[in-house]
């Protein structure tokens, strides 16, 4: 299974528990970016994940998103749920995020996200490597 040009899938390792029951579970959830009407909105993403987990893992009568408490949501490499496939970023040495020199702002570098073809930030040269490292750690793909 692979994503087409119009279908981008993002995988998350989600640690959660059922409300009122202190037992954690960890699952891999795949979200179709087309389901996100507000890309980048963590609340919408968390709502989709809670709904997915409630339907799949909670008993009948409890399977509503409000009964799922998210503890940790970590984005994963797009290829992780499909071990037989090539990494989506293999041609880029496995790097989803990359840095270029800014043509508009002197002494700045631009951090890009290949997954959404967007600019993540424009940063002073002195902080660009630290910022790129933080983005890679925060947003997941190693």
């Amino acid at each position: 299974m692979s994503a087409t040009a119009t279908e981008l899938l993002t995988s998350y390792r989600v640690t959660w528990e059922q409300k009122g029951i202190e037992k954690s579970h960890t699952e891999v959830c795949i979200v179709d970016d087309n389901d996100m009407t507000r890309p980048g909105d963590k609340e919408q993403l968390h709502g989709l994940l809670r709904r997915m987990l409630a339907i799949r893992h909670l008993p009948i009568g409890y399977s509503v998103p409000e009964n799922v408490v998210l503890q940790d949501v970590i984005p994963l490499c797009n290829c992780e749920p499909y071990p037989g496939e090539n990494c989506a970023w293999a041609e880029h040495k496995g790097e989803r995020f990359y840095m270029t020199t800014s043509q508009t702002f002197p002494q700045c570098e631009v951090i890009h996200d290949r997954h959404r073809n967007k600019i993540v930030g424009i940063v002073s040269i002195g902080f660009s490597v630290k910022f790129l490292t933080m983005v890679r750690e925060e947003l997941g793909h190693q």
Side-chain angles (χ1 to χ4, degrees), residues 110-121:
V110 181
I111 310 302
H112 302 268
D113 180 354
R114 286 187 175 96
H115 180 63
R116 291 181 172 82
N117 196 26
K118 302 255 180 180
I119 292 174
V120 176

Side-chain angles (χ1 to χ4, degrees), residues 31-109:
V31 175
D32 184 341
D33 289 354
N34 292 326
D35 292 340
M36 295 285 295
T37 57
R38 299 180 313 269
D41 182 347
K42 281 189 177 184
E43 286 303 312
Q44 184 182 32
L45 172 64
H46 289 183
L48 288 170
L49 293 170
R50 280 194 300 274
R51 184 177 62 188
M52 184 184 311
L53 291 166
I55 292 169
R56 290 184 182 166
H57 299 287
L58 295 183
I60 296 173
Y62 294 94
S63 58
V64 293
E66 293 76 22
N67 286 330
V68 173
V69 177
L70 299 180
Q71 297 172 332
D72 199 19
V73 177
I74 301 170
L76 300 175
C77 171
N78 284 2
C79 59
E80 197 161 327
Y82 312 113
E85 292 189 5
N86 292 329
C87 173
W89 319 114
E91 65 187 271
H92 305 288
K93 298 179 186 172
E95 293 179 344
R96 171 181 166 181
F97 301 97
Y98 67 100
M99 182 169 47
T100 61
T101 302
S102 174
Q103 302 300 316
T104 308
F105 301 98
Q107 301 296 311
C108 289
E109 294 182 299

Side-chain angles (χ1 to χ4, degrees), residues 12-28:
Y12 298 90
R13 180 172 291 114
V14 181
T15 303
W16 65 281
E17 66 183 35
Q18 183 177 341
K19 191 174 191 177
I21 299 176
E22 294 183 20
K23 182 180 179 196
S24 295
H25 307 276
T26 301
E27 307 291 337
V28 173

